[in-house]
């Protein structure tokens, strides 16, 4: 484990490498506990580099077993090797030389899941960001691009399959039960994209012919017996390959493309060139084991990793500060892909919900950082919602500002200009500025300034002048180490909505730049006067969530209701409902804090019934529109002195009131949606299931008995319906015989299936109330639980800490104390996983004083621990700062 030495890496310290590695030839003699790695590096001094600079290669927990330069073994005084570094004191004056390095690594002991490790008996690698240095000494930085040839030697019986990047070139027998394979990747790449897999796996094969006629062999490797569950991933892969050709003109560039699913993985998946490695959760799906949400995630992540082939692999990052160059852009591309494959409106709302629940709290708390950070202590802690999701929003704003056509031209220029290079955000923005001729320097602040901007707007109307006045103001809250902010360029799509829901025109607008339905807010305050507007319309602002800001819009009281029922922009329609629900819930929280029973407006209670019955709306949209803000959403909106039990109470009461008020309507609709149609994972079918299951929840809340959910559980024929019914039972009727029976039945049915057992852990980790802590502790002793497996840990501990407001935020602080202890136990095996988990406490300052103090003690306990990995120390120190 890398200990915290206090070193901070700074963007401004970037210097190009003194040495380059033209070719890298690797030989792996695989052995579970003693693998030999021989790296033959064709090196050269970079033109212009300092002449007497020593060669310093990166390592991490490495053992050097051999070293030679141009074929001559190096004497002890010629170099220094530590686990972290190999320094060669004097390098030949000749510009080119060959370095041969032999290291020994122990894959079986590698529980950090970085470098070469074993997952269920399969050898696999994870090298992003700095895992390659755990395999061999190297210039492990993304701007050193090299052509790799990889020879893998292993036991034939346990490792019939030997894979690496690029195309296969040779294979053969070695005698003694061992065999080998050689892979060559002609595309120069940084070390973080290296991958190797060896083991015994089943495969699903297919092929894809690219636009220019290249035949690509596709393979998805999974555990034997799970091949049938890889069909949807394969289908998503082929659709991704076709989409990138039409949407961005990008073709695949090798003869094979392989995906391997492993069960121990720190993240979702990894885009290694030609050999993507996936967390099996994001590959395996069938109706019996996966929910509709799982299918949507698989489609999105398969696409994401595939799209990296151009945005990340062919054009890569100069240094890790530029992470958003590949991640924000690739998330934007996968979002667009899903929008095209599914419902654009529903996809956008889902994205915004996700952004608000993950990125907004980050951006408004102690871990806030710019989309392109300027400092880091541990780069693994910067694979964040800000870099990924806000990074994607920034690219989306570029498209909103420049328009589809200019955006596409600029992307074409980016691909043409920078193919094969390691570049920066400045290089990326320059393509958009060059194509559009616009000065994007104010816009670029979205990359450089942290924090979620607040925009306030107010509407007034002068009937006599037939004039509508919109006053806008931006405020940029301070974030850690940035107290003074520059004004930003905030693109706000908008419309003026008339009495029938129609978009109204105006004859002139004065006061600010408005183009193609977008207001460009660039100053602190702007006043827009629209003339030719005889009647006061409802203002629909930030349509499609064109800018990732907090918007407060003051207008006539019934405007929200009007927008909720009539806005032509589905996002703003949904937003109007959320705004109304949120206000009611904030009021409810306040009432309960004062020991008063909350009351709800009748028009608000009626609204869900009207939306539910509107057959003109997609079912998936109706399901989203009827979903109340989560307890975490409400907490974020309240912002300070949060009392989680009052939030829970307010939300539970509102759900019951809505269910009771609309019971007949909901019942009729629920009935009409209950069909015997065969399962299909497509978006429309999933939408029907989502609406039906949401209605089930409301009806159960109104009826106050588990009978309906128990019936739905018993009759369910797919995981989406089964899990939805189980959740209603566990969360509304926890402890009832029906809930206990269903949990037991689920456990019996899926005991041998780790990914499904994760759902069983998660549903119990979310059971409301203080008793959840004992439940979670007991489940840690369950045979299917394993503290070394990231999926298990995230399902049980992660869900408990992030999604169970009442269970985790117990008044006595016992939830936090348990959490700190567990995080420290995980840190000893897997510091990266522990650090990610610890971010669950990032909003501790928003809690009411008693809980705040208890959360602070838990953080301090983590800070004081002896383990002190760089990963966890970084998160805990910044959270407490
Ligand atoms: N580049 C990957 C994310 C990723 C990052 C680090 C990892 O190491 C544990 C693994 C994956 C992506 O964006 O999908
Ligand atoms: Zn990515």
């Amino acid at each position: 484990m890398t200990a915290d030495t206090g070193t901070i890496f700074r963007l401004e310290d970037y210097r190009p490498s003194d040495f380059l590695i033209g070719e890298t030839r690797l030989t792996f003699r695989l052995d579970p506990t003693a693998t030999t790695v021989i790296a033959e590096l064709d090196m050269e001094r970079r033109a212009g580099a300092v002449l007497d600079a020593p060669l310093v290669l990166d390592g991490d927990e490495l053992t050097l077993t051999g070293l030679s330069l141009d074929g001559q073994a190096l004497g002890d005084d010629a170099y220094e090797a530590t686990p972290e570094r190999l320094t060669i004191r004097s390098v030949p004056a000749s510009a080119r030389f060959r370095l041969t390095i032999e290291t020994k690594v122990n894959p079986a002991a590698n529980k950090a899941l970085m470098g070469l490790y074993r997952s269920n008996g399969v050898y696999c690698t994870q090298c992003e960001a700095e895992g390659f240095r755990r395999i061999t000494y190297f210039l492990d930085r993304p701007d050193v691009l090299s052509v790799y040839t990889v020879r893998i030697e292993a036991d034939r019986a346990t490792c019939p399959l030997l894979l690496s990047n690029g195309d296969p070139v040779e294979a053969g027998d070695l005698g003694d039960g061992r065999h080998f394979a050689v892979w060559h990747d002609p595309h120069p790449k940084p070390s973080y994209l290296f991958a190797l897999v060896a083991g015994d796996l089943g495969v699903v094969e297919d092929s894809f012919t690219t636009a220019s006629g290249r035949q690509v062999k596709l393979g998805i490797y999974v555990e034997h017996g799970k091949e049938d569950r890889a069909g949807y991933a394969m289908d998503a892969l082929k659709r991704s390959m076709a989409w990138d050709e039409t949407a961005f003109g990008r073709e695949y560039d090798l003869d094979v493309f392989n995906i391997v699913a492993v069960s121990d993985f720190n993240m979702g998946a990894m885009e290694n060139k030609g050999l993507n490695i996936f967390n099996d959760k994001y590959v395996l799906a069938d109706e019996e084991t996966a929910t509709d949400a799982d299918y949507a995630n698989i489609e999105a992540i398969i696409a994401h990793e595939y799209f990296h082939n151009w945005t990340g692999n062919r054009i890569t990052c100069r240094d890790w500060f530029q992470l958003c160059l590949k991640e924000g852009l690739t998330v934007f591309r996968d979002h667009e892909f899903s929008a095209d494959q599914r419902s654009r409106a529903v996809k956008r709302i889902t994205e915004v919900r996700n952004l608000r629940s993950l990125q907004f709290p980050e951006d408004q708390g102690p871990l806030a950082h710019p989309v392109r950070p300027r400092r880091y202590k541990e780069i693994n802690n910067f694979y964040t919602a800000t870099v990924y999701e806000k990074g994607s929003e920034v690219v989306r704003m570029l498209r909103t500002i420049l328009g589809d056509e200019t955006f596409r031209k600029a992307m074409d220029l980016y691909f043409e200009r920078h193919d094969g290079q390691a570049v920066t955000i400045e290089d990326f923005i320059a393509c958009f500025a060059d194509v559009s001729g616009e000065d994007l320097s104010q816009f670029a602040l979205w990359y450089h300034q942290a924090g979620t901007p607040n925009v306030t707007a107010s509407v007034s109307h002068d009937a006599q002048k037939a004039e509508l006045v919109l006053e806008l103001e931006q405020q940029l809250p301070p974030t850690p180490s940035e107290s003074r902010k520059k004004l930003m360029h905030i693109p706000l799509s908008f419309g003026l909505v008339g009495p029938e829901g129609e978009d109204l025109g105006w004859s002139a607008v004065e006061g600010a730049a408005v183009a193609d339905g977008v207001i460009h807010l660039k100053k602190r305050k702007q006043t827009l006067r629209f003339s030719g507007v005889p009647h006061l319309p409802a203002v629909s602002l930030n349509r499609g969530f064109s800018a990732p800001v907090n918007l407060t819009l003051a207008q006539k009281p019934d405007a929200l209701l009007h927008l909720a029922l009539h806005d032509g922009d589905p996002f703003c329609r949904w937003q109007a409902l959320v705004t109304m629900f949120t206000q009611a819930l904030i009021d409810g929280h306040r009432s309960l804090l004062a020991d008063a029973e909350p009351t709800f407006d009748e028009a608000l209670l009626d609204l869900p019934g009207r939306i539910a019955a509107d057959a003109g709306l997609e079912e998936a949209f109706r399901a989203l529109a009827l979903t109340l803000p989560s307890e975490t959403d409400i907490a974020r909106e309240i912002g300070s002195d949060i009392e989680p039990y009052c939030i829970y109470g307010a939300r539970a009461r509102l759900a019951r009131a809505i269910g009771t008020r609309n019971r007949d309507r909901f019942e009729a609709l629920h009935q009409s949606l209950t069909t015997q149609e065969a399962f299909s994972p497509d978006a429309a079918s999933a939408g029907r299931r989502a609406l039906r299951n949401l209605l089930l929840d409301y009806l159960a809340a109104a009826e106050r008995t588990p009978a309906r959910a128990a019936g739905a559980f018993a009759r369910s024929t797919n995981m989406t319906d089964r899990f939805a019914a189980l959740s209603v039972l566990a969360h509304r009727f926890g402890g009832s015989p029906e809930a206990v029976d269903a949990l037991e039945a689920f456990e019996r049915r899926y005991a041998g299936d780790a990914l499904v057992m994760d759902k069983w852990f998660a549903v119990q980790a979310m059971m409301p109330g203080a008793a959840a802590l004992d439940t979670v502790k007991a489940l840690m002793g369950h045979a299917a639980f394993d503290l070394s497996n990231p999926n298990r840990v995230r399902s049980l501990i992660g869900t408990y800490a992030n999604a169970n407001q009442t269970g985790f935020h117990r008044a006595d602080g016992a939830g936090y104390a348990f959490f700190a202890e567990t995080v420290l136990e995980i840190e000893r095996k897997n510091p990266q996983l522990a650090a990610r988990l610890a971010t669950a406490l990032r909003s501790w300052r928003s809690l009411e004083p008693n809980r705040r103090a208890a959360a602070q003690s838990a953080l301090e306990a983590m800070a004081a621990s002896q383990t002190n990995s760089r990963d966890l120390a970084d998160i805990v120190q910044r959270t407490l700062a």
Side-chain angles (χ1 to χ4, degrees):
M1 131 165 19
T2 317
D4 177 22
T5 54
T7 307
I8 290 177
F9 297 90
R10 295 180 162 75
L11 171 61
E12 63 268 27
D13 292 346
Y14 174 83
R15 281 197 327 112
S17 172
D18 285 331
F19 295 92
L20 306 175
I21 309 177
E23 282 208 39
T24 299
R25 284 175 297 280
L26 300 171
T27 299
F28 287 84
R29 300 208 174 102
L30 291 175
D31 177 277
T33 54
T35 287
T36 303
V37 184
I38 301 164
E40 228 178 75
L41 312 178
D42 287 352
M43 307 206 58
E44 63 183 288
R45 207 184 285 273
R46 184 178 52 84
V50 192
L51 262 184
D52 54 0
L55 172 59
V56 183
L57 300 176
D58 307 297
D60 183 6
E61 298 189 346
L62 283 180
T63 310
L64 182 74
T65 51
L67 179 63
S68 60
L69 205 155
D70 287 330
Q72 296 290 112
L74 280 181
D76 286 352
D77 51 350
Y79 69 92
E80 186 191 3
T82 69
E84 286 78 44
R85 204 162 288 109
L86 174 59
T87 309
I88 301 188
R89 295 205 175 92
S90 63
V91 183
S94 66
R96 289 165 191 275
F97 56 98
R98 174 171 301 172
L99 200 60
T100 309
I101 303 167
E102 188 184 302
T103 48
K104 273 251 164 15
V105 296
N106 181 348
N110 182 353
K111 298 293 168 204
L113 314 185
M114 291 295 284
L116 177 66
Y117 66 94
R118 301 257 285 171
S119 175
N120 268 353
V122 175
Y123 293 92
C124 60
T125 54
Q126 173 54 41
C127 294
E128 189 178 7
E130 297 177 336
F132 192 73
R133 61 184 67 183
R134 293 166 62 82
I135 295 173
T136 186
Y137 292 102
F138 204 74
L139 295 173
D140 191 13
R141 46 188 283 170
D143 61 346
V144 171
L145 309 185
S146 185
V147 170
Y148 285 67
T149 305
V150 179
R151 178 185 166 97
I152 310 168
E153 301 178 6
D155 224 30
R156 193 190 279 280
T158 54
C159 298
L161 175 73
L162 307 173
L163 301 175
S164 190
N165 315 88
D167 297 315
V169 288
E170 203 192 334
D173 197 69
L174 290 169
D176 251 13
R178 287 179 76 81
H179 70 146
F180 75 96
V182 179
W183 290 77
H184 177 72
D185 179 3
H187 300 280
K189 65 169 177 287
S191 50
Y192 82 86
L193 290 172
F194 165 79
L196 168 158
V197 171
D200 187 3
L201 292 167
V203 65
V204 175
E205 288 177 316
D206 209 322
S207 69
F208 181 84
T209 308
T210 67
S212 64
R214 184 196 279 267
Q215 280 277 344
V216 185
K217 259 183 72 173
L218 309 176
I220 300 187
Y221 293 86
V222 297
E223 270 175 29
H224 287 293
K226 296 195 172 157
E227 293 86 347
D228 287 350
R229 286 208 232 169
Y232 185 76
M234 182 60 89
D235 179 55
L237 173 61
K238 290 189 289 180
R239 286 185 281 121
S240 306
M241 296 177 86
W243 184 89
D244 213 13
E245 292 184 352
T246 45
F248 282 92
R250 297 299 111 200
E251 265 187 52
Y252 189 61
D253 54 5
L254 287 165
D255 297 334
V256 300
F257 185 77
N258 286 320
I259 290 176
V260 178
V262 299
S263 40
D264 299 83
F265 202 73
N266 276 343
M267 311 276 267
M270 180 63 210
E271 70 263 25
N272 318 299
K273 183 82 187 185
L275 177 56
N276 290 358
I277 297 182
F278 269 64
N279 184 328
D280 57 0
K281 175 178 166 63
Y282 297 116
V283 172
L284 301 173
D286 62 15
E287 63 189 275
E288 171 67 14
T289 55
T291 62
D292 290 325
D294 293 326
Y295 278 99
N297 281 333
I298 289 170
E299 182 180 75
I301 297 178
I302 291 271
H304 179 96
E305 306 310 331
Y306 175 72
F307 297 156
H308 267 314
N309 191 54
W310 275 94
T311 49
N313 300 4
R314 289 190 69 132
I315 305 180
T316 197
C317 302
R318 186 193 73 173
D319 52 66
W320 290 120
F321 296 100
Q322 320 297 329
L323 185 56
C324 64
L325 175 86
K326 72 178 179 82
E327 296 306 346
L329 178 55
T330 305
V331 170
F332 172 74
R333 278 152 51 68
D334 85 57
H335 283 177
E336 284 300 295
F337 167 73
S338 295
D340 283 345
Q341 304 289 310
R342 294 168 173 253
S343 152
R344 187 162 277 273
V346 167
K347 173 66 183 159
R348 187 63 188 141
I349 294 166
T350 312
E351 283 160 18
V352 175
R353 285 208 327 177
N354 195 36
L355 185 79
R356 285 202 182 121
S357 72
L358 299 171
Q359 200 275 326
F360 277 29
E362 182 169 275
D363 223 358
Q364 294 162 25
L367 300 178
H369 54 273
V371 171
R372 188 184 63 187
R374 279 180 294 275
R375 306 260 175 282
Y376 65 76
K377 195 178 235 187
E378 172 52 63
I379 188 58
N380 286 323
N381 289 336
F382 283 82
Y383 288 78
T384 60
T386 297
V387 169
Y388 276 65
E389 311 300 328
K390 189 175 180 182
S392 163
E393 294 301 318
V394 177
V395 177
R396 178 177 299 279
M397 284 188 283
L398 268 175
R399 191 181 61 177
T400 302
I401 290 170
L402 301 179
D404 291 357
E405 216 174 294
T406 309
F407 178 82
R408 172 67 198 267
K409 278 197 194 127
M411 283 301 303
D412 289 348
L413 175 63
Y414 175 66
F415 291 125
E416 190 193 307
R417 194 185 269 180
H418 296 298
D419 188 15
Q421 299 178 357
V423 304
T424 63
I425 281 299
E426 281 76 10
D427 296 320
F428 178 68
I429 297 174
C431 294
F432 292 84
D434 289 354
V435 165
S436 66
E438 300 220 11
D439 175 1
L440 294 173
S441 49
Q442 189 184 12
F443 177 80
L445 291 172
W446 282 103
Y447 282 106
H448 309 317
Q449 284 190 167
T452 310
N454 294 317
V455 174
T456 48
S458 63
V459 178
S460 59
H461 185 250
D462 185 330
Q464 244 155 28
K465 287 200 217 159
E467 187 179 76
L468 178 89
V469 181
L470 186 61
E471 292 191 70
L472 295 164
E473 180 172 359
Q474 59 170 303
Q475 288 146 343
L476 306 160
T479 51
S481 74
E482 280 177 39
S483 51
R484 284 177 57 89
K485 307 272 181 182
K486 294 189 182 132
L487 294 168
M488 319 233 341
H489 175 180
I490 301 175
L492 297 165
S493 288
F494 78 109
L496 306 182
V497 181
E500 308 298 322
E502 76 281 21
D503 266 19
L504 300 176
W506 56 88
S507 56
V509 54
E510 163 201 319
V514 176
D516 297 330
V518 181
I519 299 167
H520 295 271
L521 176 59
K522 295 182 177 181
K523 302 186 194 137
R524 184 171 309 284
K525 285 188 181 187
Q526 273 167 235
T527 303
L528 281 76
R529 296 177 187 282
F530 297 88
S531 48
V533 186
H535 306 288
L536 171 59
V539 176
S540 170
L541 192 58
N542 206 17
R543 283 188 156 176
F545 205 61
S546 58
V549 299
N550 278 312
L551 173 67
T552 316
L553 171 59
Q555 56 181 331
K556 60 173 179 169
D558 54 351
L560 268 183
L561 188 61
H562 188 67
L563 293 174
L565 289 168
H566 303 295
D567 196 332
D569 180 74
F571 170 79
C572 279
R573 206 169 159 181
W574 170 82
Q575 180 62 59
L577 277 156
V578 170
T579 307
M580 285 189 283
F581 286 143
T582 305
Q583 197 47 56
L585 290 162
I586 293 175
D587 293 346
H589 171 257
R590 193 176 317 108
S591 301
L592 289 171
L593 272 178
D595 271 335
E597 196 50 31
T599 54
F600 302 109
D601 183 55
E602 309 235 317
L604 179 69
L605 295 181
D606 278 337
L607 202 46
R610 295 171 73 181
I611 303 273
D614 185 343
L617 297 169
E618 293 175 276
E619 281 95 350
F621 176 87
R622 284 187 263 165
L624 285 171
L626 263 57
T627 303
L628 294 182
S630 70
E631 289 161 50
T632 322
D633 292 330
I634 305 163
R636 185 190 62 246
E637 294 299 324
I638 294 173
S640 59
D641 281 323
I642 289 155
E643 210 293 339
Y645 283 73
C646 293
I647 293 180
Y648 172 78
R651 190 177 186 275
R653 283 167 172 80
L654 180 56
R656 176 165 296 159
I658 291 173
T660 309
R661 179 95 178 177
N662 300 287
R663 193 159 163 180
D664 295 344
R665 264 184 162 162
F666 282 0
E667 172 121 42
L669 185 57
H670 184 256
Q671 200 67 39
S672 76
L673 287 165
T674 306
T675 62
Q676 291 307 309
E677 65 179 349
F679 181 87
S680 156
D682 69 87
S685 310
R688 281 192 289 281
R689 285 187 284 274
L691 183 54
R692 171 155 36 88
N693 288 323
L694 186 72
L695 294 172
L696 171 69
D697 190 43
Y698 274 121
L699 288 167
E703 291 163 351
R704 299 176 186 236
T705 102
R708 186 186 291 269
F713 182 81
R715 281 189 305 275
S716 61
T717 55
N718 60 68
M719 181 52 80
T720 302
D721 292 340
R722 187 167 302 134
F723 189 70
L726 183 67
S727 303
V728 176
L729 288 168
H731 301 160
R732 291 209 182 278
F733 308 102
S736 69
E738 286 84 349
V740 171
D741 285 355
L743 283 168
E744 274 175 19
F746 194 96
E747 181 191 9
R748 271 196 309 277
R749 185 166 182 157
Y750 298 112
D753 193 321
L755 288 178
V756 187
M757 286 304 282
D758 283 343
K759 299 183 191 304
W760 185 77
F761 288 125
V763 80
Q764 295 178 82
M766 267 194 288
M767 284 168 69
L773 176 56
D774 290 333
T775 306
V776 169
K777 283 183 181 167
L779 286 173
M780 285 179 72
H782 191 279
F785 189 77
D786 176 2
L787 215 47
S788 318
N789 179 286
N791 287 356
R792 296 308 89 74
V793 167
R794 284 186 284 252
S795 294
L796 187 59
I797 316 297
T799 303
Y800 172 63
N802 288 295
N804 190 343
Q805 292 281 309
T806 49
F808 181 52
H809 300 281
R810 280 167 50 130
D812 63 3
Y816 309 140
F818 157 78
F819 180 70
E821 238 171 71
T822 309
V823 167
L824 290 173
E825 200 177 333
I826 294 165
E827 184 196 18
R828 283 187 271 276
K829 307 175 203 292
N830 188 336
Q832 201 182 110
L833 178 63
R836 296 205 133 236
L837 209 56
T839 64
L841 280 174
R842 69 188 162 208
S843 300
W844 66 279
R845 280 202 174 83
S846 313
L847 295 161
E848 53 79 22
N850 287 329
R851 286 177 172 89
R852 198 186 310 153
Q856 183 173 4
S857 311
L859 281 161
E860 281 162 355
M862 285 193 261
S865 101
Q866 297 301 301
T867 347
N868 196 34
S869 66
R870 189 161 74 188
D871 307 65
L872 184 62
D874 171 41
I875 293 290
V876 171
Q877 288 161 6
R878 280 192 286 143
T879 304
L880 280 168

